[in-house]
Amino acid sequence: PDNKKIQFGDTTTPDLAIYHDGNHSYVKDAGEGHLILLGDDVLIKNAAETANKARFEANAVKLYYDGSLRIQTSADGIDLQNTLSNKRLLRLSHPTSPTHASGFLGFNSDGTTDNNIVTLGCQYSETYYDVLNIKRSTQFVGINTTNPSSTLDVNGNATFAGTVTCTSVTET
């Protein structure tokens, strides 16, 4: 029944309690030390058991969003997964921003196309703006252009501070 607890440890201040309050289910560890879950493959799923939330394996930790793998640890570090877009893998945003402004850094892993290999950009509301792109085949760098056509392709005005050296100038 609701509002009943299974308690372990001291009866006045239990170390561990498992209970349901009518709305939520709890496993509460209030004792000394850590709450330790043991298993070679520990899986946390949603209540309907249709989507993974987290998985703790012998050599990896995997975090899911809506059942799809998003972050996985490996011997080399952290792998970011994104099935929605092949370039907006890492997004940094302000959680209380009223305009939903954020920045993103993406790496295109599709080696069969001439897409931009690295993209740095921003999002404002629901619109994405690519600010800097590096093209795969030419290694051209584009600023405010998604398709750079020269070693450095700037769409818009550019201001340089310091000394600028040009070895060849072509006027257009």
Side-chain angles (χ1 to χ4, degrees):
D2 290 339
N3 299 315
K4 298 289 183 188
K5 291 183 180 182
I6 299 173
Q7 298 183 109
F8 302 91
D10 189 348
T11 55
T12 57
T13 55
D15 295 328
L16 178 66
I18 301 172
Y19 60 98
H20 182 75
D21 68 4
N23 292 313
H24 306 288
S25 298
Y26 298 87
V27 175
K28 182 178 180 181
D29 175 34
E32 296 287 328
H34 305 283
L35 173 63
I36 299 173
L37 302 174
L38 301 175
D40 291 332
D41 191 348
V42 177
L43 182 62
I44 299 173
K45 296 182 104 134
N46 65 349
E49 296 187 35
T50 58
N52 291 344
K53 296 297 183 182
R55 187 172 197 150
F56 305 88
E57 299 174 353
N59 295 320
V61 174
K62 298 177 181 180
L63 300 178
Y64 297 79
Y65 175 79
D66 201 23
S68 296
L69 180 63
R70 291 293 182 245
I71 299 173
Q72 176 177 333
T73 62
S74 68
D76 298 325
I78 297 173
D79 298 324
L80 302 173
Q81 310 289 325
N82 188 350
T83 58
L84 300 176
S85 168
N86 64 353
K87 68 179 182 177
R88 290 180 179 86
L89 294 178
L90 177 60
R91 184 173 76 165
L92 306 172
S93 60
H94 192 282
T96 60
S97 171
T99 57
H100 308 288
S102 64
F104 61 85
L105 172 63
F107 302 94
N108 184 344
S109 60
D110 180 6
T112 63
T113 65
D114 192 32
N115 291 339
N116 295 321
I117 191 168
V118 176
T119 301
L120 177 66
C122 62
Q123 176 189 2
Y124 184 77
S125 289
E126 298 301 317
T127 304
Y128 288 93
Y129 301 94
D130 291 354
V131 176
L132 181 131
N133 289 286
I134 300 174
K135 194 170 183 83
R136 179 183 303 283
S137 62
T138 60
Q139 301 300 305
F140 288 170
V141 175
I143 298 175
N144 289 333
T145 177
T146 58
N147 191 22
S149 58
S150 60
T151 304
L152 178 60
D153 189 347
V154 178
N155 182 9
N157 297 326
T159 302
F160 299 94
T163 303
V164 176
T165 304
C166 299
T167 56
S168 174
V169 177
T170 304
E171 291 187 36
T172 57

mmCIF file of all heavy atoms in Angstrom, residues 7-26:
data_model
loop_
_atom_site.group_PDB
_atom_site.id
_atom_site.type_symbol
_atom_site.label_atom_id
_atom_site.label_comp_id
_atom_site.label_asym_id
_atom_site.label_seq_id
_atom_site.Cartn_x
_atom_site.Cartn_y
_atom_site.Cartn_z
ATOM 1 N N GLN A 7 12.169 -0.528 5.875
ATOM 2 C CA GLN A 7 13.327 0.169 6.420
ATOM 3 C C GLN A 7 14.362 -0.819 6.926
ATOM 4 O O GLN A 7 14.013 -1.867 7.463
ATOM 5 C CB GLN A 7 12.899 1.099 7.564
ATOM 6 C CG GLN A 7 11.936 2.172 7.110
ATOM 7 C CD GLN A 7 11.583 3.128 8.218
ATOM 8 O OE1 GLN A 7 12.000 4.264 8.185
ATOM 9 N NE2 GLN A 7 10.833 2.660 9.217
ATOM 10 N N PHE A 8 15.640 -0.452 6.748
ATOM 11 C CA PHE A 8 16.755 -1.261 7.196
ATOM 12 C C PHE A 8 17.645 -0.390 8.068
ATOM 13 O O PHE A 8 17.831 0.786 7.788
ATOM 14 C CB PHE A 8 17.564 -1.789 6.006
ATOM 15 C CG PHE A 8 16.747 -2.615 5.052
ATOM 16 C CD1 PHE A 8 16.108 -2.024 3.968
ATOM 17 C CD2 PHE A 8 16.614 -3.980 5.242
ATOM 18 C CE1 PHE A 8 15.360 -2.780 3.086
ATOM 19 C CE2 PHE A 8 15.865 -4.750 4.364
ATOM 20 C CZ PHE A 8 15.232 -4.145 3.284
ATOM 21 N N GLY A 9 18.219 -0.978 9.103
ATOM 22 C CA GLY A 9 19.103 -0.230 9.984
ATOM 23 C C GLY A 9 18.387 0.212 11.238
ATOM 24 O O GLY A 9 17.406 -0.379 11.672
ATOM 25 N N ASP A 10 18.843 1.286 11.819
ATOM 26 C CA ASP A 10 18.292 1.839 13.055
ATOM 27 C C ASP A 10 16.818 2.209 12.849
ATOM 28 O O ASP A 10 16.457 2.825 11.850
ATOM 29 C CB ASP A 10 19.112 3.067 13.450
ATOM 30 C CG ASP A 10 18.762 3.586 14.827
ATOM 31 O OD1 ASP A 10 17.741 3.163 15.401
ATOM 32 O OD2 ASP A 10 19.526 4.425 15.334
ATOM 33 N N THR A 11 15.962 1.881 13.791
ATOM 34 C CA THR A 11 14.531 2.147 13.641
ATOM 35 C C THR A 11 14.194 3.634 13.732
ATOM 36 O O THR A 11 13.217 4.088 13.144
ATOM 37 C CB THR A 11 13.709 1.387 14.707
ATOM 38 O OG1 THR A 11 14.200 1.727 16.000
ATOM 39 C CG2 THR A 11 13.801 -0.107 14.478
ATOM 40 N N THR A 12 14.983 4.432 14.451
ATOM 41 C CA THR A 12 14.689 5.866 14.556
ATOM 42 C C THR A 12 15.234 6.644 13.362
ATOM 43 O O THR A 12 14.610 7.590 12.899
ATOM 44 C CB THR A 12 15.266 6.454 15.866
ATOM 45 O OG1 THR A 12 16.665 6.206 15.910
ATOM 46 C CG2 THR A 12 14.582 5.842 17.072
ATOM 47 N N THR A 13 16.390 6.273 12.874
ATOM 48 C CA THR A 13 16.968 6.905 11.671
ATOM 49 C C THR A 13 17.478 5.792 10.755
ATOM 50 O O THR A 13 18.647 5.421 10.795
ATOM 51 C CB THR A 13 18.121 7.860 12.035
ATOM 52 O OG1 THR A 13 19.087 7.136 12.789
ATOM 53 C CG2 THR A 13 17.625 9.055 12.815
ATOM 54 N N PRO A 14 16.602 5.233 9.921
ATOM 55 C CA PRO A 14 16.988 4.076 9.106
ATOM 56 C C PRO A 14 18.078 4.432 8.098
ATOM 57 O O PRO A 14 18.122 5.542 7.570
ATOM 58 C CB PRO A 14 15.688 3.694 8.405
ATOM 59 C CG PRO A 14 14.844 4.914 8.451
ATOM 60 C CD PRO A 14 15.239 5.660 9.686
ATOM 61 N N ASP A 15 18.956 3.453 7.871
ATOM 62 C CA ASP A 15 20.025 3.633 6.898
ATOM 63 C C ASP A 15 19.504 3.546 5.465
ATOM 64 O O ASP A 15 19.987 4.243 4.571
ATOM 65 C CB ASP A 15 21.102 2.562 7.093
ATOM 66 C CG ASP A 15 21.802 2.699 8.434
ATOM 67 O OD1 ASP A 15 21.930 3.837 8.921
ATOM 68 O OD2 ASP A 15 22.213 1.668 8.987
ATOM 69 N N LEU A 16 18.530 2.674 5.233
ATOM 70 C CA LEU A 16 17.995 2.456 3.888
ATOM 71 C C LEU A 16 16.490 2.285 3.971
ATOM 72 O O LEU A 16 15.990 1.571 4.850
ATOM 73 C CB LEU A 16 18.635 1.206 3.259
ATOM 74 C CG LEU A 16 18.158 0.810 1.867
ATOM 75 C CD1 LEU A 16 18.562 1.871 0.840
ATOM 76 C CD2 LEU A 16 18.734 -0.545 1.468
ATOM 77 N N ALA A 17 15.777 2.940 3.076
ATOM 78 C CA ALA A 17 14.321 2.812 3.033
ATOM 79 C C ALA A 17 13.871 2.665 1.583
ATOM 80 O O ALA A 17 14.426 3.293 0.677
ATOM 81 C CB ALA A 17 13.654 4.032 3.671
ATOM 82 N N ILE A 18 12.872 1.827 1.369
ATOM 83 C CA ILE A 18 12.233 1.665 0.055
ATOM 84 C C ILE A 18 10.754 1.920 0.293
ATOM 85 O O ILE A 18 10.135 1.296 1.162
ATOM 86 C CB ILE A 18 12.454 0.247 -0.507
ATOM 87 C CG1 ILE A 18 13.952 -0.042 -0.650
ATOM 88 C CG2 ILE A 18 11.745 0.089 -1.852
ATOM 89 C CD1 ILE A 18 14.264 -1.483 -1.008
ATOM 90 N N TYR A 19 10.191 2.854 -0.483
ATOM 91 C CA TYR A 19 8.782 3.186 -0.260
ATOM 92 C C TYR A 19 8.164 3.875 -1.475
ATOM 93 O O TYR A 19 8.854 4.278 -2.414
ATOM 94 C CB TYR A 19 8.616 4.055 0.988
ATOM 95 C CG TYR A 19 9.359 5.379 0.949
ATOM 96 C CD1 TYR A 19 8.711 6.560 0.589
ATOM 97 C CD2 TYR A 19 10.702 5.448 1.312
ATOM 98 C CE1 TYR A 19 9.392 7.773 0.571
ATOM 99 C CE2 TYR A 19 11.381 6.654 1.298
ATOM 100 C CZ TYR A 19 10.724 7.807 0.921
ATOM 101 O OH TYR A 19 11.394 8.992 0.902
ATOM 102 N N HIS A 20 6.829 3.975 -1.421
ATOM 103 C CA HIS A 20 6.045 4.669 -2.446
ATOM 104 C C HIS A 20 5.095 5.615 -1.719
ATOM 105 O O HIS A 20 4.410 5.208 -0.790
ATOM 106 C CB HIS A 20 5.256 3.650 -3.284
ATOM 107 C CG HIS A 20 4.462 4.279 -4.374
ATOM 108 N ND1 HIS A 20 5.035 4.748 -5.525
ATOM 109 C CD2 HIS A 20 3.137 4.525 -4.493
ATOM 110 C CE1 HIS A 20 4.109 5.245 -6.314
ATOM 111 N NE2 HIS A 20 2.929 5.131 -5.703
ATOM 112 N N ASP A 21 5.073 6.887 -2.143
ATOM 113 C CA ASP A 21 4.252 7.870 -1.430
ATOM 114 C C ASP A 21 2.903 8.134 -2.095
ATOM 115 O O ASP A 21 2.210 9.073 -1.737
ATOM 116 C CB ASP A 21 5.014 9.187 -1.254
ATOM 117 C CG ASP A 21 5.256 9.914 -2.565
ATOM 118 O OD1 ASP A 21 4.778 9.475 -3.626
ATOM 119 O OD2 ASP A 21 5.947 10.960 -2.531
ATOM 120 N N GLY A 22 2.499 7.309 -3.029
ATOM 121 C CA GLY A 22 1.255 7.533 -3.754
ATOM 122 C C GLY A 22 1.497 8.133 -5.127
ATOM 123 O O GLY A 22 0.706 7.953 -6.043
ATOM 124 N N ASN A 23 2.596 8.867 -5.282
ATOM 125 C CA ASN A 23 2.959 9.460 -6.562
ATOM 126 C C ASN A 23 4.308 8.969 -7.084
ATOM 127 O O ASN A 23 4.490 8.787 -8.275
ATOM 128 C CB ASN A 23 3.022 10.991 -6.455
ATOM 129 C CG ASN A 23 1.667 11.599 -6.220
ATOM 130 O OD1 ASN A 23 0.709 11.267 -6.882
ATOM 131 N ND2 ASN A 23 1.584 12.480 -5.229
ATOM 132 N N HIS A 24 5.272 8.791 -6.190
ATOM 133 C CA HIS A 24 6.639 8.467 -6.576
ATOM 134 C C HIS A 24 7.150 7.276 -5.776
ATOM 135 O O HIS A 24 6.719 7.050 -4.648
ATOM 136 C CB HIS A 24 7.570 9.665 -6.347
ATOM 137 C CG HIS A 24 7.103 10.913 -7.007
ATOM 138 N ND1 HIS A 24 7.141 11.099 -8.358
ATOM 139 C CD2 HIS A 24 6.558 12.041 -6.483
ATOM 140 C CE1 HIS A 24 6.656 12.295 -8.659
ATOM 141 N NE2 HIS A 24 6.287 12.884 -7.534
ATOM 142 N N SER A 25 8.114 6.567 -6.387
ATOM 143 C CA SER A 25 8.771 5.453 -5.708
ATOM 144 C C SER A 25 10.180 5.888 -5.339
ATOM 145 O O SER A 25 10.831 6.603 -6.106
ATOM 146 C CB SER A 25 8.831 4.233 -6.620
ATOM 147 O OG SER A 25 7.523 3.814 -6.943
ATOM 148 N N TYR A 26 10.647 5.431 -4.165
ATOM 149 C CA TYR A 26 11.933 5.885 -3.650
ATOM 150 C C TYR A 26 12.779 4.719 -3.159
ATOM 151 O O TYR A 26 12.264 3.762 -2.594
ATOM 152 C CB TYR A 26 11.728 6.826 -2.451
ATOM 153 C CG TYR A 26 10.971 8.082 -2.776
ATOM 154 C CD1 TYR A 26 9.585 8.101 -2.721
ATOM 155 C CD2 TYR A 26 11.634 9.249 -3.115
ATOM 156 C CE1 TYR A 26 8.876 9.264 -3.003
ATOM 157 C CE2 TYR A 26 10.940 10.403 -3.399
ATOM 158 C CZ TYR A 26 9.560 10.412 -3.342
ATOM 159 O OH TYR A 26 8.870 11.558 -3.628
#
